[in-house]
Amino acid sequence: MSGGIRVLVVDDDAGARALHARWVSATDGFTVVGSAASGRAALGFVEHGVDLVLLDMRLPDISGIEVLHRMRIAGATGTDVLVVSSSRDQVTVRQALAAQVVGYLIKPFDREVLRDRLLAYAAERQERDATDRDVPLAQGEVDRLLTTGSLRTVGPAAAAPAPLPKGLSAVTLDRVLEALGPVTPVSVDEVAASAGVSRATARRYLDHLVAVGAIDLAHRYGRRGRPQVLYRLAPAH
């Protein structure tokens, strides 16, 4: 689109709003069209049309979950939501994922993390727009929609039964899961190489799988620097 992806930044902290807005504006293809300090103000902006909302969960009037709920009731299906919050309890994360947010970034994070997530979102939005065009379905796909509500086939992605957030592709999710095993943990770079996707895309899918409990985290400590995060399939229960 000519004006870029229109973004609304929602956070009750003025410093966080300004910082995140600067980071978004510095990312190619994104334009900040407004900011809001409350849930009701955010809903007012959404009514006038935005493409992506950076939404905090802790707001002074209504919660971020309530904002998501009211957006869906109002039929704001053309607006995606990327959660940016310090809330990391399972109830909040699962409720946000059930609302089909496009991602969940836990504060604090740096500019690079947000930029990578935004660029991955832009690429997947373009892919989603292409695949959402009216394509005739085969009988098997119709049957799957009737029985499961999804076009996903039975396969490795069954390890992540939670609703797939907007912008995530079932095909890519299958490739990411195929790159993981239950015994030997692997890094995000190894997953990206095996699945044939970018590092930012791999990390986004891994974040989703961690949030729904499909994979476990481990750490590899070296002599210097930060520990490396590793991933493996969670044991079946």
Side-chain angles (χ1 to χ4, degrees):
M1 62 187 69
S2 58
I5 295 173
R6 300 166 298 169
V7 181
L8 171 68
V9 179
V10 183
D11 201 299
D12 65 335
D13 184 281
R17 286 198 310 274
L19 181 64
H20 296 163
R22 285 202 304 271
W23 289 352
V24 172
S25 297
T27 305
D28 290 341
F30 291 84
T31 301
V32 175
V33 295
S35 64
S38 68
R40 290 187 177 89
L43 291 169
F45 267 103
V46 170
E47 288 180 359
H48 298 292
V50 296
D51 300 312
L52 178 66
V53 178
L54 266 60
L55 179 65
D56 190 11
M57 291 287 98
R58 298 177 178 176
L59 299 171
D61 51 354
I62 58 176
S63 70
I65 295 298
E66 181 64 19
V67 171
L68 289 168
H69 178 64
R70 295 190 187 186
M71 284 178 59
R72 300 319 171 205
I73 289 178
T77 55
T79 301
D80 293 321
V81 175
L82 171 62
V83 174
V84 288
S85 178
S86 58
S87 299
R88 54 195 307 169
D89 60 282
Q90 290 190 30
V91 172
T92 300
V93 173
R94 289 183 183 278
Q95 286 179 331
L97 292 176
Q100 297 188 339
V101 298
V102 299
Y104 198 113
L105 279 180
I106 297 175
K107 296 178 182 177
F109 50 82
D110 59 26
R111 176 177 176 174
E112 181 183 356
V113 168
L114 180 59
R115 183 199 63 201
D116 288 349
R117 186 60 56 92
L118 290 174
L119 292 177
Y121 162 74
E124 288 163 356
R125 178 186 176 95
Q126 185 176 13
E127 177 184 347
R128 183 187 71 204
D129 290 345
T131 57
D132 280 351
R133 291 169 187 157
D134 192 9
V135 178
L137 300 178
Q139 181 63 55
E141 294 171 319
V142 173
D143 292 341
R144 281 197 295 277
L145 278 174
L146 289 171
T147 56
T148 68
S150 171
L151 287 174
R152 295 173 62 192
T153 58
V154 176
L164 207 58
K166 278 187 174 182
L168 295 190
S169 160
V171 173
T172 303
L173 184 63
D174 283 340
R175 294 207 305 266
V176 169
L177 281 162
E178 287 170 357
L180 299 164
V183 178
T184 304
V186 293
S187 69
V188 62
D189 293 317
E190 291 171 311
V191 171
S194 180
V197 298
S198 70
R199 188 179 191 277
T201 297
R203 185 165 59 189
R204 183 159 177 233
Y205 281 81
L206 290 168
D207 286 348
H208 168 68
L209 291 168
V210 169
V212 300
I215 60 177
D216 289 333
L217 294 179
H219 294 87
R220 177 185 295 153
Y221 292 88
R223 293 183 178 179
R224 335 174 33 177
R226 294 181 296 178
Q228 183 181 31
V229 179
L230 304 175
Y231 306 84
R232 65 182 175 187
L233 292 176
H237 297 291

